[in-house]
Amino acid sequence: MQANLSVLVGSSLVAAILLLSPPRAVAQEAAIDLSHFELAFSDEFDRLDVSGTGFGAKWATHTSWGGDFGDARFTDPGPTGPFKIVDGHLEIIASKTPAGVWQSGLLSSVDTTGQGFSQQYGYFEMRAKLPAGKGLWPAFWLNTVLPKGSPIPGIEIDVIEHYGHFPKLYQALVHIWPKPPNDDDAARKTVIEVPEGSLYNDFHTYGVLVRPDWITVYLDRKPKWRCPTPPEHKNKLMILANLAMGSGWPIDETPNPSIMTIDYIRAYRERP
């Protein structure tokens, strides 16, 4: 997960990105039909199943490669930690400690040893309500499971990456890591426009269908955009969700606290 400031700076650049990566023949397609899938992974967040390492729990609170990011420290669960279960929902809370340091939370379905849930293809979905506020950077994303420092290329799929400075849009994109020489990823990103405030006022589902030929992004189970699956996608994908801050945008006006509320995270596999 890395900053993509150029994608969201100014309306002219937003328009340029939309022209470079328009929805690829998905506008008239029907909503995804999950009757052809079976549930492979689910957390309904009736209880907190999180640990700092991920060992013995459904979620780890740091990336498996040990790389945290943003201007809030990703913190382990605990009495003053960023995770709380309220009425069957998970709250990830970004807040300042008494020392004035921002902390927040990340979930990873794979721990530092590579153990946990992952799958190469299928439909992945989060139902969530995002917090409003400048400087916030919530995301739901997938990343290739590889040993730390592996030279084998993998991909990152950002199903939703939202910058609080821009309440009427979010971006979806596909990275290749390590970045190939002369790679132009403009065709693997898009900006999705939404009614102002809609991401904050209600729960929405953010999904992605990963197949050998196409990666298709969904909002409320309706297709919004797709791009060809990169040939570098040869391994399983872990699930990540987080409430980060900053990414180059100032955080001096960020509400304290700010809460990302997740109803569920699920993954499905297609039936043969």
Side-chain angles (χ1 to χ4, degrees):
M1 176 66 59
Q2 297 194 11
N4 271 277
L5 306 187
S6 62
V7 176
L8 295 174
V9 180
S11 58
S12 60
L13 279 179
V14 169
I17 293 295
L18 287 169
L19 288 172
L20 284 170
S21 52
R24 296 170 181 250
V26 297
Q28 303 303 317
E29 291 185 10
I32 190 168
D33 180 4
L34 293 182
S35 66
H36 305 293
F37 294 76
E38 60 186 15
L39 192 65
F41 173 89
S42 174
D43 197 336
E44 308 298 316
F45 297 109
D46 296 317
R47 67 183 185 91
L48 190 61
D49 197 356
V50 178
S51 79
T53 61
F55 304 145
K58 188 168 286 187
W59 300 101
T61 57
H62 302 276
T63 64
S64 63
W65 56 92
D68 287 350
F69 50 86
D71 295 335
R73 183 181 61 202
F74 292 140
T75 308
D76 295 342
T80 61
F83 305 103
K84 187 176 181 181
I85 299 294
V86 178
D87 298 328
H89 298 140
L90 172 70
E91 293 185 348
I92 302 181
I93 305 164
S95 62
K96 282 186 178 180
T97 67
V101 177
W102 279 99
Q103 68 173 27
S104 191
L106 173 143
L107 301 178
S108 171
S109 68
V110 168
D111 64 30
T112 55
T113 69
Q115 300 301 304
F117 174 78
S118 60
Q119 66 179 24
Q120 185 174 6
Y121 300 114
Y123 179 69
F124 305 79
E125 183 178 79
M126 174 182 74
R127 184 173 186 264
K129 181 164 62 172
L130 306 186
K134 294 180 178 180
L136 293 170
W137 184 22
F140 174 58
W141 49 301
L142 312 176
N143 204 84
T144 300
V145 180
L146 290 170
K148 185 177 179 180
S150 172
I152 299 172
I155 67 169
E156 172 187 325
I157 304 172
D158 296 325
V159 186
I160 173 172
E161 187 174 12
H162 176 64
Y163 296 93
H165 276 69
F166 304 92
K168 295 194 289 186
L169 52 86
Y170 68 90
Q171 66 179 7
L173 57 155
V174 178
H175 293 291
I176 300 171
W177 302 121
K179 187 177 175 66
N182 304 314
D183 179 54
D184 181 6
D185 61 2
R188 298 194 305 271
K189 65 179 66 172
T190 194
V191 171
I192 297 171
E193 297 179 281
V194 297
E196 186 167 3
S198 63
L199 302 180
Y200 318 135
N201 298 332
D202 298 295
F203 284 90
H204 294 276
T205 59
Y206 305 95
V208 62
L209 177 60
V210 183
R211 284 177 164 156
D213 50 354
W214 292 96
I215 294 172
T216 306
V217 170
Y218 294 80
L219 174 61
D220 294 326
R221 297 192 173 173
K222 297 178 181 178
K224 303 299 290 185
W225 173 78
R226 68 159 53 110
C227 75
T229 302
E232 289 81 0
H233 180 45
K234 301 180 185 297
N235 297 281
K236 293 182 178 181
L237 296 163
M238 70 183 80
I239 303 173
L240 301 107
N242 59 262
L243 177 55
M245 292 176 56
S247 185
W249 303 107
I251 61 172
D252 55 307
E253 298 181 50
T254 305
N256 179 31
S258 294
I259 300 173
M260 177 180 179
T261 306
I262 303 176
D263 182 23
Y264 64 74
I265 295 176
R266 299 172 183 164
Y268 300 81
R269 64 173 67 95
E270 292 193 73
R271 293 192 180 96

